Amino acid sequence: MTGIITHDPPPAAGGRQSGPLIVTEDPDLLDDLLRLCAAAGATPEVHHSVPGSRSSTPWALTATAAPATSPESSASSASAWPAGWEAAPLVLVGDDAARRVRGAVRRRGVVLVGRDQDDSGIWQRAVEIGADHVLMLPDGEQWLVDRIADVAEGVGRPALTVGVIGGRGGAGASTLACALAVTAAREGLRSLLVDADPMGGGLDVLLGGETADGLRWPAFAASRGRVGGGALEESLPELHALRVLSWDRGDCVSVPPQAVRAVLAAARRRGGTVVVDLPRRIDDGVAEVLAQLDVGILVVPAELRAVAAAGRVAAAVGMVLRDLRVAVRGPYASGLDDREVARLLGLPLVGEVPVESGLLRATESRRPPGTPARGPLARFCREFWERALAETDGRVGSGS
């Protein structure tokens, strides 16, 4: 339920998010809300009654000094509310306190929390205080834990998430995925590289970090519900200024789809960029990844058999992913160039993936693809990120 909204909460000082603000005098409800905050890893600011303003005038007196129907009185009383009301990233108002907060300035991020499923009047009270949501406990507990956890993590714009998949075996998708992630990290973006191909030998090997400390996919096989983004990031190996989620060399070659969904969602909440190296087969786990991608890149060698194989891959991927593009790798067969390959596949062209001399020797010496900052592969990746990030900013700016 959304009422009139005239103010957005500003970020906390230093860019860090504070915990939610709880306003209630109901001890049982407070116990439940504190329990849910603890489950989400957040420390709330709690007021058993309406807190005092800077001038020590109780909020209860300020908020009820005039009827809520008086705009002049409401504006006057709102100015006396302490900054905590406006600055808190999330406000949880107990239904018992709804009457006392009617005079507060309207803002986003207010949740009216009740218990009586049969009380239809709670919707009217939500409108009166400008609440975004009405939540009934215990039914809405998981939703509220997720919302509080977002606050605790300081969630902003989700990561720009790019999947790379080969049009045929040996197309160079893993090489491009690594180069994209390395380039993003070098440009100062938070970067996470995800290996979604259990049969690929492990991207940590390609990056020279197979012995690095940190968790691999099998450790997340039992994940359910929400995975903390910060905890995920800290648990993974850090290689070449980026985090890597890869496979180990054990017997586990699959992770349940719900675990894949939870892990990738946590990765995206951290912002920056996420690059996923995809297998050519589409199973339930890969479908979960495809559903969270912003852009897919199909890497296709410029030869007829590769184009034919890539057409089948594109058809399967396109059933889930709307934005699939093609990157073409030479040398070119007779009659083909990058534009012709894109035309035959009916996909937008990202460009020609350059052949980088010495790449094999660099890999053998544990230097990941895209490491030379002035090399042609790094330049290709840098130009891709510039375009993709500009497109994302354009979509956000247009409200889409």
Side-chain angles (χ1 to χ4, degrees):
M1 176 65 71
T2 304
I4 301 171
I5 298 173
T6 59
H7 182 74
D8 292 335
R16 294 176 59 90
Q17 295 292 325
S18 58
L21 172 67
I22 297 176
V23 182
T24 183
E25 291 181 332
D26 183 334
D28 293 331
L29 179 60
L30 178 58
D31 285 345
D32 281 339
L33 294 178
L34 290 176
R35 172 175 56 83
L36 297 178
C37 285
T43 302
E45 177 184 351
V46 178
H47 291 276
H48 297 281
S49 60
V50 184
S53 69
R54 297 187 187 91
S55 62
S56 299
T57 302
W59 275 10
L61 297 178
T62 303
T64 58
T69 54
S70 169
E72 295 80 4
S73 298
S74 293
S76 174
S77 63
S79 65
W81 281 63
W85 170 269
E86 299 182 41
L90 182 67
V91 178
L92 308 178
V93 179
D95 191 29
D96 64 287
R99 179 182 59 84
R100 298 189 298 276
V101 302
R102 271 185 268 174
V105 64
R106 297 299 177 93
R107 49 151 292 167
R108 290 178 181 160
V110 176
V111 180
L112 183 60
V113 185
R115 294 178 178 277
D116 187 354
Q117 304 280 353
D118 298 323
D119 180 14
S120 59
I122 193 171
W123 298 98
Q124 178 59 39
R125 294 189 290 278
V127 171
E128 291 172 354
I129 67 172
D132 295 327
H133 298 276
V134 171
L135 185 98
M136 291 296 183
L137 297 180
D139 292 353
E141 285 193 356
Q142 186 57 57
W143 182 91
L144 188 55
V145 168
D146 288 347
R147 186 74 182 270
I148 297 170
D150 284 342
V151 166
E153 290 184 354
V155 172
R157 184 187 300 184
L160 176 56
T161 307
V162 178
V164 186
I165 186 169
R168 67 153 169 81
S174 296
T175 297
L176 180 58
C178 285
L180 284 168
V182 167
T183 302
R186 187 169 51 238
E187 294 298 310
L189 298 170
R190 175 183 275 120
S191 183
L192 172 63
L193 177 62
V194 179
D195 184 355
D197 185 0
M199 302 298 185
L203 288 185
D204 54 353
V205 176
L206 186 56
L207 292 170
E210 63 270 21
T211 61
D213 292 336
L215 300 182
R216 269 68 173 181
W217 266 118
F220 299 98
S223 298
R224 300 292 185 274
R226 183 190 177 97
V227 174
L232 171 67
E233 184 177 48
E234 293 174 4
S235 72
L236 299 178
E238 184 174 6
L239 304 170
H240 307 282
L242 58 96
R243 297 286 179 167
V244 181
L245 176 54
S246 186
W247 293 88
D248 60 16
R249 264 51 67 185
D251 296 333
C252 178
V253 294
S254 66
V255 169
Q258 57 267 37
V260 175
R261 182 192 316 128
V263 169
L264 192 57
R268 297 191 73 224
R269 286 196 302 271
R270 295 295 289 168
T273 62
V274 175
V275 181
V276 186
D277 181 30
L278 293 161
R280 292 174 61 228
R281 71 183 192 288
I282 310 299
D283 58 19
D284 290 342
V286 175
E288 291 289 352
V289 176
L290 292 173
Q292 297 196 51
L293 295 181
D294 296 304
V295 179
I297 300 177
L298 181 64
V299 183
V300 183
E303 55 190 53
L304 288 176
R305 287 189 63 194
V307 173
R312 295 196 173 201
V313 176
V317 171
M319 295 178 66
V320 183
L321 178 62
R322 289 188 301 172
D323 191 350
L324 180 63
R325 311 177 191 183
V326 62
V328 182
R329 184 172 63 82
Y332 292 98
S334 176
L336 288 180
D337 60 18
D338 53 357
R339 296 181 185 277
E340 180 64 10
V341 171
R343 187 192 68 79
L344 291 171
L345 292 171
L347 296 174
L349 178 63
V350 173
E352 177 185 350
V353 181
V355 177
E356 190 160 82
S357 60
L359 181 59
L360 180 59
R361 293 193 303 273
T363 302
E364 291 173 347
S365 65
R366 321 298 272 177
R367 293 173 60 198
T371 296
R374 297 185 178 181
L377 186 56
R379 184 165 57 251
F380 173 90
C381 293
R382 188 165 53 249
E383 291 172 355
F384 168 81
W385 285 123
E386 289 174 356
R387 292 193 303 268
L389 291 167
E391 290 171 6
T392 300
D393 289 341
R395 286 194 294 268
V396 172
S398 64
S400 59

